[in-house]
Amino acid sequence: MTTSPMTQARAPGAAREGDEAWRRRGAILLFVGPFFALFLAVIVAPLAYAVYLSLFAEKSSGLGFGGAETVFVGLGNYLDTLKDEAFTDGFLVILGYCVLYIPLMIGGALALALLLDSGLARFGKVFQAALFMPHIVPGVIAGLIWLYLYLPGISPIVDLLGDADFLGGRGALGAVVNIALWEWLGYNMIIYFAALQAIPAEVVEAARMDGAGGARIAWSVKIPMIRGAVVTTVLFTIIGSLQLFTEPTVLDNSSDGIVSTWTPNMYAYNEAFGNNDIGQAGAASIILALLAAVLSYAVTRWGNRR
């Protein structure tokens, strides 16, 4: 059986197309492969291991004279964690933290970005660098800097304010919010300022020709056009609030209002390294991760609404 000349001519072209398709797939894998490898190693594997640990607990055999053994408890650690008031009270702290922190963070960063974008602020580049500089400081160092400024007898600010108690029961939350604002306000301001710079100049000019003033342009034109950036920072801020750990941990030993289980993240750390209960620490971590996922979905849906 012989093939027609047309079929013979088509065969090399089909082979070349097949080779080209394989080369494209190889290029895609070359660029995407490292991401998925890191994602599996850094995100999926630790989560899967935490889920595994959360299903087991250390139990002592007999009257406590024998060695401890690892037993499967299923969802027992999750139930114990949810029934523990030290864990659930931590979410009340996070709620109060979000009520104070998120409006101040988003509103302050937006106001500063709009001020820079308007051109009214002199030395704009210097202003941007000065506001962004605290974000470069690691969280532990930032906590230590502000701990010095909060301590009576050491801090010049406390002496000037008449022995104000920043680390007491009522002032502890505000002290932590202040540290977080100092660290992250400039970072979010840079995100908003970059988004504002991408707004077409003709849009702002058209609003100005229609008689809109500076405040009206900012509220009705600029802020709606950077909605995506605002939603993104709100999402990251909520997730970061759920993970609150570094700043209150630094202040823990010097504050009457902060304890080792003050936030859910601190609770998980204390269970793992204070009480040596890895199973319950894993359960607390997974509950916190699930809550972060639900809130992320809710904020994303809210942001996608017209």
Side-chain angles (χ1 to χ4, degrees):
M1 182 175 180
T2 59
T3 58
S4 65
M6 185 177 295
T7 304
Q8 293 176 354
R10 190 184 297 120
R16 284 195 297 271
E17 290 178 1
D19 293 341
E20 184 67 24
W22 278 108
R23 281 195 292 269
R24 284 198 297 268
R25 293 191 185 98
I28 293 172
L29 288 176
L30 180 64
F31 286 103
V32 177
F35 166 77
F36 280 106
L38 286 173
F39 181 76
L40 289 172
V42 179
I43 303 296
V44 177
L47 277 175
Y49 188 54
V51 172
Y52 171 79
L53 291 176
S54 68
L55 301 177
F56 295 87
E58 296 288 332
K59 301 291 185 179
S60 299
S61 60
L63 298 176
F65 298 104
E69 59 178 355
T70 303
V71 297
F72 179 78
V73 294
L75 299 178
N77 286 324
Y78 292 90
L79 297 176
D80 292 341
T81 301
L82 291 173
K83 288 188 295 184
D84 194 338
E85 291 185 358
F87 180 72
T88 54
D89 288 349
F91 287 104
L92 296 178
V93 173
I94 294 297
L95 179 61
Y97 176 84
C98 289
V99 169
L100 288 175
Y101 176 62
I102 293 179
L104 291 173
M105 169 62 69
I106 302 303
L110 265 176
L112 291 171
L114 289 167
L115 179 64
L116 288 174
D117 186 65
S118 67
L120 296 177
R122 296 183 178 182
F123 309 108
K125 298 296 183 183
V126 177
F127 195 40
Q128 290 179 50
L131 285 170
F132 185 75
M133 197 68 67
H135 181 68
I136 303 175
V137 179
V140 174
I141 304 302
L144 291 173
I145 291 173
W146 281 99
L147 178 61
Y148 164 77
L149 295 174
Y150 289 150
L151 285 176
I154 299 177
S155 169
I157 298 177
V158 174
D159 294 338
L160 288 174
L161 295 177
D163 296 328
D165 187 9
F166 291 107
L167 298 176
R170 294 184 178 180
L173 183 60
V176 174
V177 168
N178 178 64
I179 298 174
L181 284 172
W182 185 77
E183 290 181 276
W184 291 96
L185 189 67
Y187 175 84
N188 288 312
M189 181 270 296
I190 292 295
I191 293 177
Y192 296 154
F193 180 70
L196 288 169
Q197 292 290 292
I199 296 177
E202 56 268 21
V203 175
V204 178
E205 187 62 29
R208 188 174 289 113
M209 292 179 64
D210 287 339
R216 179 70 174 177
I217 291 174
W219 181 258
S220 300
V221 178
K222 291 183 177 181
I223 292 179
M225 293 192 72
I226 63 169
R227 177 185 173 89
V230 174
V231 172
T232 300
T233 54
V234 169
L235 175 62
F236 290 160
T237 303
I238 291 175
I239 295 174
S241 299
L242 284 175
Q243 298 174 347
L244 184 63
F245 177 79
T246 304
E247 294 83 3
T249 300
V250 173
L251 302 180
D252 181 10
N253 292 330
S254 302
S255 173
D256 296 333
I258 299 176
V259 296
S260 59
T261 58
W262 199 58
T263 68
N265 229 358
M266 294 174 68
Y267 175 89
Y269 180 86
N270 184 68
E271 287 297 317
F273 302 103
N275 298 332
N276 200 29
D277 192 342
I278 303 298
Q280 193 147 335
S285 300
I286 295 301
I287 292 172
L288 193 59
L290 290 175
L291 181 59
V294 171
L295 289 176
S296 299
Y297 175 76
V299 172
T300 303
R301 286 292 302 271
W302 168 76
N304 289 335
R305 292 189 309 171
R306 290 187 178 273

